[in-house]
């Protein structure tokens, strides 16, 4: 018979709240380990699998129905401890973005919301760099490192930049030819 809900591998049932609290404790440790590797990241799916494996508590619920509750607990615990927002290390598999739930990091820190998706990703990249520095990441350069978008997102941004048309220089008001970089028309003087 297939298990439903939340349960211990040993067979006992647990409530969703109990599971989320336990997973948050395990998730915190997992994210600290991720932060100890410069430019380390983990996907939501990987984190979900790891917290279940390390805790011995499983669920049949879909990941997107519970991972936010776990990450919210981690955000608040990191803030309570004075640690940087470890949840910035968690990204979507398909696009490398932190996702809309990242707003809780801003709320807990008392910062205004960031509506622009790319601004949110830059904020998360800065938060990740803070995590790597705070937890003495292996591979962190002596100069303190640099922020970086998740590799998958970085590729998408580079592709988008390559497709963007080059800005056009203004036209001469007299002959309507494109002005050279000097800004003075070679034809009209």
């Amino acid at each position: 018979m297939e298990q439903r809900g939340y349960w211990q591998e040993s067979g006992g049932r647990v409530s969703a709240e109990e599971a989320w609290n336990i997973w948050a404790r395990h998730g915190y440790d997992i994210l600290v380990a991720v932060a100890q590797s410069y430019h380390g990241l983990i996907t939501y799916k990987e984190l979900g699998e790891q917290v279940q494996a390390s805790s011995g508590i499983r669920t049949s619920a879909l990941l997107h129905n519970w991972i936010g509750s776990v990450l919210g607990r981690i955000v608040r615990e990191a803030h309570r401890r004075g640690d940087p927002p470890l949840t910035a290390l968690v990204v979507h598999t398909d696009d490398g973005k932190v996702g809309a739930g990242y707003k809780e990091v801003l709320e807990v820190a008392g910062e205004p919301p960031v509506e622009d998706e790319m601004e949110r990703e830059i904020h998360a990249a800065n938060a990740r760099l803070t995590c790597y520095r705070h937890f003495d990441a292996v591979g962190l350069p002596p100069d303190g490192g640099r922020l970086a978008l998740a590799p998958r997102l970085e590729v998408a941004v580079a592709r988008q930049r390559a497709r963007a048309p080059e800005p056009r220089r203004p036209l001469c008001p007299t002959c309507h030819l494109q002005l050279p970089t000097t800004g003075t028309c070679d034809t009209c003087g």
Side-chain angles (χ1 to χ4, degrees):
M1 185 168 113
E2 185 180 327
Q3 290 272 15
R4 306 286 305 154
Y6 298 83
W7 67 92
Q8 295 174 348
E9 289 175 347
S10 61
R13 311 260 324 142
V14 295
S15 72
E17 287 285 327
E18 289 172 309
W20 300 340
N21 289 332
I22 293 167
W23 288 338
R25 288 193 300 272
H26 286 263
Y28 202 96
D29 294 339
I30 291 165
L31 292 178
V32 166
V34 171
Q36 291 172 333
S37 179
Y38 182 52
H39 286 178
L41 296 169
I42 189 169
T43 66
Y44 288 94
K45 181 180 178 187
E46 291 168 336
L47 181 62
E49 291 169 354
Q50 288 185 29
V51 296
Q52 288 184 69
S54 65
S55 68
I57 296 175
R58 301 289 178 170
T59 186
S60 59
L62 296 175
L63 179 70
H64 70 267
N65 289 333
W66 58 266
I67 196 71
S69 296
V70 173
L71 292 173
R73 286 163 170 76
I74 294 171
V75 167
R76 290 185 297 280
E77 181 61 17
H79 185 74
R80 187 190 70 71
R81 291 184 189 191
D83 287 343
L86 289 162
T87 58
L89 301 164
V90 186
V91 297
H92 290 286
T93 304
D94 60 339
D95 62 11
K97 295 178 182 176
V98 291
Y102 186 75
K103 70 180 184 256
E104 193 160 355
V105 167
L106 301 167
E107 288 171 8
V108 168
E111 297 180 29
V114 176
E115 300 303 325
D116 181 77
E117 195 173 78
M118 207 52 212
E119 283 182 41
R120 181 182 67 220
E121 296 306 321
I122 299 292
H123 189 284
N126 275 305
R128 287 192 288 269
L129 182 57
T130 303
C131 287
Y132 305 137
R133 290 173 176 165
H134 183 82
F135 291 103
D136 298 319
V138 172
L140 185 68
D143 68 0
R146 64 176 181 78
L147 70 90
L149 298 174
R152 188 171 292 264
L153 180 57
E154 188 68 54
V155 167
V157 168
R159 204 174 14 234
Q160 185 177 12
R161 281 188 195 129
R163 284 194 308 252
E166 201 172 302
R168 293 192 55 170
R169 291 192 306 266
L171 301 178
C172 172
T174 307
C175 68
H176 304 292
L177 292 176
Q178 193 173 42
L179 291 173
T181 56
T182 61
T184 305
C185 182
D186 292 334
T187 306
C188 299

